[in-house]
Amino acid sequence: MFLALKEIRKEKLRSSLIVAMIVLIGYLIFILTSLALGLARQNTDAINSWHVNQITLNANANVDMRQSFLSADNVGKLSNQEAVIGQTSVVAKSNQHKQLSAVFIGLKDTQFVYKNIKLESGHNVNGAHEIVVDTAFKTSGYKLGSQLTLNDDKQKYTIVGFTEGAKLNIAPIVYGQLNTWQHLRGMTSGPVASAVVSKNAHYQNNNTGVKTYTKQQVIDKLPGYQAQTATFVLMIGFLMVISLIIIAVFLYILTMQKIPNYAVLRAQGVPSKVLVKATISQSILLVICGLMIATGLTALTAVIMPASVPVAFDIPVLGGVGLGLLLMALIGSLIPVRSVLKIDPVSAIGG
Amino acid sequence: MDSLSVQNVNQIYGNGTAKVHVLHDVNFTAEPGTLNLIMGPSGSGKSTFLTIIGGLLTPTSGTVSVNGTNYTDLSKKERDQVRLESIGFVLQAYHLLPYLTVADQFKLVDKVKPEANLTEDELNNVLEMLDIKELLDKFPGELSGGQQQRVAIARALYPNPSIILADEPTAALDSSRVVVVAKLLKDLAVKHHKSVVVVTHDSRLMAAANHLYEMTDGYLTQKN
């Protein structure tokens, strides 16, 4: 640490350049991670908020709730651990506000999903023409009591409550009664739901024509979800590798310049481990400095980021990413460490 | 007990037609309290001899003993320890760490070998004798070649080694400084009872030597 600190203090420009690189990479990784997380959450917020483990869909729906229709026979008998939901895509229209594409989720008021809706304001749905909507509607100017129509239905629906984090596949959710879902789909008889959701991790619906999936299986099949997630993971992975290469190259160059000095120290009996520790400490100190600045920039960005940007600054996740970068620094320092270990002190003799 | 003893050392590089016999049956003893000067032309094997007696290179045959311990039997790590505790290298290529001030060069020694180094008074004496006491806050880049050489000498002496091996220690010094360094090396040998071995081309050091050796084509002969 002594050598590392002394060198960083003396070689301010070089150290600043390396730190600047790490700041840029760290900042980019933090923002990309937060965006990935934000987008992922907007895909899955609603499903996660229901606290379900198993989801039963029509066996021919390709694990897609939008394509699934269940008859009363399909649904079968439910315990208080299960609930039915009806899902359909809607366009919310109002004369005073812009149109919003949304997902309508029809619920039964006796079941747990309905009861667990966390309201930010207003009250829960009590009638066929009442709806509770995601706060994204509020951002678009809707208020409690605002009326809107859904798709080409002439019926006006009144917003009686707002709920936070109710998004499915990035679209805001409109919660209403299950009967309203049937009405919107034009199916007053026949299908009774899109899905059966269960809190029971071992729930299996063995009725004909249906299949039960885990929550994650359904999430993974959300349109575009895996492509989005994989893209971000790849980008973050590449940035990690780039950070590793930058740290390794800079440290290697710095270390190679010091080889004659180190050879003299080795000749004088200074153990290799002292020089190895100096190299690793230098790498870690530079990365920690870079990460601290990147964290500050990320925090600043979090403050000024518009609410419309799907970004989630999750401290444990970002902490994990920061640790990942530190690990990259450690790995990156192994290449110069190898050079240090190979120093031949004989080279110090004879000028 | 001899501080440094070399017996029947041979050093051969390569094999077959590329075989080079660098040192031939070299015998050498550096007793405490003596300054031993080894002179010879370039390529005569002086540097190879220095690397062997300094424990940096294992000879093809023969033994090297430091304070009674046969160097050739020790592991690399053990040899590092012997060098750190018992041998002070004054090298022609002094290569001071550029980001450490002169004072920090000594602090580094303290970090690696916290005990049995020179006391503050003893270090001050060495610094005064080498006329570098005023340079403690300077970085190597702010020093002349001669000043850096003197700092390197002080750094080698700071761990208080019983054996001092010097490779062209006066290469970057003017005549007046050569006299100072010669006196310092002589004092270390005589007053501080150290074994000093100097490999050099510089005949100006001959007057200070207790024993003079000549290395020619890998053969070491004692001149006095």
Side-chain angles (χ1 to χ4, degrees), chain B residues 40-51:
Chain B
S42 296
S44 60
K46 298 193 306 294
S47 293
T48 302
F49 178 66
L50 198 71
T51 56

Side-chain angles (χ1 to χ4, degrees), chain A residues 6 261 264 266-268 350, chain B residues 80 83 89 96 104 155 167:
Chain A
K6 291 285 177 186
N261 310 80
V264 171
R266 289 287 297 113
Q268 288 170 334
Chain B
D80 280 352
R83 283 204 307 277
F89 267 109
L96 298 167
D104 287 337
R155 186 181 68 176
D167 179 26

Side-chain angles (χ1 to χ4, degrees), chain B residues 37-41 46 200-203 206 212-215:
Chain B
L37 203 64
I38 298 172
M39 300 189 71
K46 298 193 306 294
T200 186
H201 286 100
D202 194 342
S203 56
M206 284 170 67
L212 180 63
Y213 296 83
E214 188 172 304
M215 181 74 82

